[in-house]
Amino acid sequence: MAEVIATPSKTAEILRKYDLRAQKRFGQNFLIDPNIVRKIAEAACEKDLPVLEVGPGIGSLTQQLCLCAKEVHTYEIDKKLIPVLQQELGEYENLTITEGDFLEVDLENVSFRDEEITFCSNLPYYVTTPILFKLIESPLKIRRMTVMVQKEVAERFRAQPNDPEYGALSVILAYRYEVKNLLNVGKGAFSPQPRVDSTVVTFTPKGEGNPAFEKSFYPFVQKCFAQRRKTLYNNLRQIPEIADPSELLQKLGFKESVRAQELNVQDFIRLHQEIYEGKSVREDQSGPER
Ligand code: SAM
């Protein structure tokens, strides 16, 4: 077996060998603590399932995933890292490396589109939310997601109504996933060290889900939070399907001054039902079927 990449000395050696410097603009902070890497890989892997990874970097976590998963499909935006990964992880036949921005990948047309998979990533922090939304809204059959994020972001995942961090992602996660903090990771586990502490979080879908409903519910929740400083009424006014936002709020017992931050998941479901199944739809603009 190749030498473990996730150590301070091997990471320094690889960076020197390929004349590389960690790129801030790509959120590059490489894991150099082998125990943390092992714990993340163990949480992510299911022996018989492929793993999807975003941002392999120089392969620290990817290497461990290759050892415990059926296959690893990994996407790296930094083209300078592709030959490094090909060379350093060349012995793992279950690894597929793709160069490119994961946010641009058409997930309808990937080889693992119809297979059950798990997702694992030490996420590039500058694109945490778009990557998570892309996965949540994707057609992929993701049994579990194991992700390293900024500690503050992990708090936002579990935020409750009226918490300052509460937003569309908190609502959608509360609706669809069981969210657990797996472990806290200090700055010293990375090279270079980030400015913030991190947390590894797992998301496990609750039950089967309802793809047709979610297809319209998720964008609806995002629209309710589109302008956080404005009232829900003002955000609802931007949704063309809603005939009369004022009447809608009154009907469901909300004040016109209410903000999206005050509503819980059930409130959003009731609102959505009333708009897309009820009578508050403009006759010329019926919403998507549920
Ligand atoms: N997995 C490695 C580790 O744990 O040491 C590196 C993690 S580093 C925090 C994030 C990685 O994501 C970097 O390698 C970066 O180049 C890559 N990355 C950043 N934005 C990306 C994107 N949009 N698509 C794919 N990879 C991206």
Side-chain angles (χ1 to χ4, degrees):
M1 191 195 109
E3 199 181 330
V4 172
I5 295 174
T7 65
S9 56
K10 185 67 184 173
T11 298
E13 181 194 314
I14 291 177
L15 294 178
R16 225 180 9 252
K17 180 171 161 192
Y18 296 91
D19 194 20
L20 292 169
R21 228 160 275 137
Q23 297 294 311
K24 240 187 184 168
R25 70 192 160 118
F26 292 138
Q28 290 177 357
N29 299 98
F30 304 123
L31 274 165
I32 53 167
D33 183 329
N35 292 320
I36 302 275
V37 168
R38 203 171 325 112
K39 282 184 192 160
I40 300 172
E42 273 168 15
C45 281
E46 301 257 344
K47 212 166 112 258
D48 301 325
L49 298 188
V51 179
L52 166 62
E53 187 197 24
V54 172
I58 58 168
S60 328
L61 177 57
T62 320
Q63 183 182 41
Q64 285 303 310
L65 293 173
C66 287
L67 292 172
C68 64
K70 182 182 161 208
E71 294 160 11
V72 179
H73 300 272
T74 194
Y75 291 82
E76 175 54 58
I77 198 170
D78 185 351
K79 63 172 185 279
K80 279 194 178 164
L81 297 180
I82 304 298
V84 180
L85 291 160
Q86 284 166 342
Q87 179 72 29
E88 300 298 323
L89 299 177
E91 71 182 75
Y92 302 103
E93 288 176 2
N94 58 348
L95 174 63
T96 308
I97 303 161
T98 307
E99 181 197 327
D101 180 348
F102 180 70
L103 291 173
E104 303 288 321
V105 175
D106 175 9
L107 293 176
E108 288 284 354
N109 286 310
V110 289
S111 62
F112 47 90
R113 157 80 167 76
D114 296 317
E115 274 180 88
E116 214 181 355
I117 60 161
T118 68
F119 176 79
C120 184
S121 176
N122 171 13
L123 283 169
Y125 293 165
Y126 75 107
V127 274
T128 298
T129 306
I131 288 178
L132 290 177
F133 267 116
K134 185 176 173 91
L135 292 165
I136 288 168
E137 293 178 331
S138 81
L140 300 182
K141 298 184 175 70
I142 305 177
R143 188 183 289 183
R144 188 170 56 254
M145 301 198 252
T146 307
V147 291
M148 172 97 78
V149 296
Q150 262 174 258
K151 202 168 166 210
E152 289 71 24
V153 175
E155 283 157 17
R156 196 185 317 153
F157 294 155
R158 302 158 66 107
Q160 300 296 313
N162 295 313
D163 287 351
E165 305 86 13
Y166 188 66
L169 191 55
S170 339
V171 175
I172 292 167
L173 291 176
Y175 157 76
R176 185 72 189 99
Y177 296 89
E178 197 180 313
V179 182
K180 278 192 186 151
N181 284 5
L182 185 72
L183 72 154
N184 290 324
V185 182
K187 302 171 186 127
F190 303 87
S191 173
Q193 289 196 13
R195 262 183 267 152
V196 288
D197 286 328
S198 301
T199 303
V200 179
V201 184
T202 61
F203 304 120
T204 311
K206 296 177 189 164
E208 285 295 299
N210 179 345
F213 165 68
E214 286 147 23
K215 200 170 172 199
S216 69
F217 183 61
Y218 294 170
F220 168 69
V221 175
Q222 290 174 70
K223 284 177 197 156
C224 290
F225 283 94
Q227 302 197 58
R228 286 184 69 89
R229 287 167 179 277
K230 296 207 168 172
T231 58
L232 179 59
Y233 168 81
N234 273 307
N235 283 318
L236 293 176
R237 275 183 50 191
Q238 307 305 316
I239 304 179
E241 290 95 329
I242 302 173
D244 185 343
S246 180
E247 189 188 278
L248 170 68
L249 290 172
Q250 202 179 21
K251 189 168 179 185
L252 296 182
F254 297 116
K255 288 190 194 144
E256 204 166 299
S257 60
V258 76
R259 286 171 194 278
Q261 289 89 316
E262 297 171 57
L263 271 57
N264 64 25
V265 181
Q266 287 310 319
D267 294 330
F268 282 105
I269 293 175
R270 277 171 58 222
L271 258 179
H272 179 275
Q273 265 173 347
E274 185 58 35
I275 298 163
Y276 294 102
E277 292 177 13
K279 298 179 187 66
S280 304
V281 182
R282 277 190 189 160
E283 280 176 11
D284 55 335
Q285 300 218 25
S286 56
E289 280 181 19
R290 197 173 145 178

